[in-house]
Amino acid sequence: MNLIPINIIAILLLFVSCAKEEIAPEFNIPGIKTTIARIQISPLAHDGARVVVTGFIKSIEPTIKDGESHKLILSDIKDNKIEIEYSSDFTGEVGEQVVTGGLYKMDVNRIVDAEVYRFTVEDDVIKPLEN
C-alpha cells in the first residue's frame, strides 16, 4: 500500500486554507487598501497604482498650478506623511481622520486625482459622513 506522508497532506491543506480573502473596497473607492507607511517603505511597488489609505489631515491648502485642485497633507499615527491632490468639494478640518483613494505618483510622493471622505466609527463600524 502506497501512503502519502502526513507532512505532504498538511502542506496541501495549508495552501488550500490560505486562499486570499477578497477585501471589499472602503466606501467603494477603487484601489489597493494600504497604509501610508507601506507606500513610504515601498514606493516603487505602489507607483502608478490606485491606492486607498486612511490618515489624519495635517494641513489643507489650494494648489497654485490650476486653481481647481487642492492639496492636503495626510499623516498616520507614526507621523508618516503623504500629499493628496484632489478636486472635489471636500470640507475637512486639520486633525480630522479621512479615507482617500487615488493614483500614487512616486516621483512627487503624492496621491493624485483623489477622492477624500470623512468618516466616523460607531459600534466598531466605519460609517461615511457627508462632505
Side-chain angles (χ1 to χ4, degrees):
M1 185 181 331
N2 198 0
L3 295 176
I4 299 173
I6 301 250
N7 291 345
I8 293 174
I9 293 173
I11 290 171
L12 289 175
L13 287 174
L14 180 66
F15 281 123
V16 170
S17 66
C18 288
K20 290 199 173 200
E21 180 181 327
E22 188 172 327
I23 299 172
E26 288 193 35
F27 295 72
N28 294 320
I29 302 171
I32 301 165
K33 180 157 178 13
T34 189
T35 64
I36 297 170
R38 285 184 188 151
I39 293 172
Q40 300 303 324
I41 290 169
S42 183
L44 186 58
H46 294 89
D47 190 29
R50 288 215 157 270
V51 295
V52 178
V53 298
T54 59
F56 298 94
I57 299 173
K58 292 296 255 188
S59 68
I60 303 174
E61 55 192 70
T63 302
I64 298 171
K65 70 177 183 181
D66 63 13
E68 294 181 12
S69 293
H70 302 278
K71 181 174 74 172
L72 61 85
I73 306 294
L74 205 61
S75 72
D76 61 13
I77 58 173
K78 302 262 184 183
D79 209 30
N80 297 303
K81 296 180 183 86
I82 193 164
E83 289 184 11
I84 309 295
E85 187 176 305
Y86 64 98
S87 59
S88 65
D89 294 330
F90 174 72
T91 56
E93 297 178 9
V94 172
E96 189 170 26
Q97 191 171 18
V98 296
V99 60
T100 185
L103 187 66
Y104 177 69
K105 301 270 188 167
M106 178 180 74
D107 57 338
V108 290
N109 190 33
R110 182 180 301 156
I111 297 174
V112 298
D113 193 27
E115 300 174 31
V116 183
Y117 298 96
R118 298 166 54 219
F119 67 90
T120 185
V121 178
E122 295 176 10
D123 300 326
D124 295 329
V125 176
I126 298 174
K127 297 181 179 181
L129 291 174
E130 296 296 319
N131 279 344

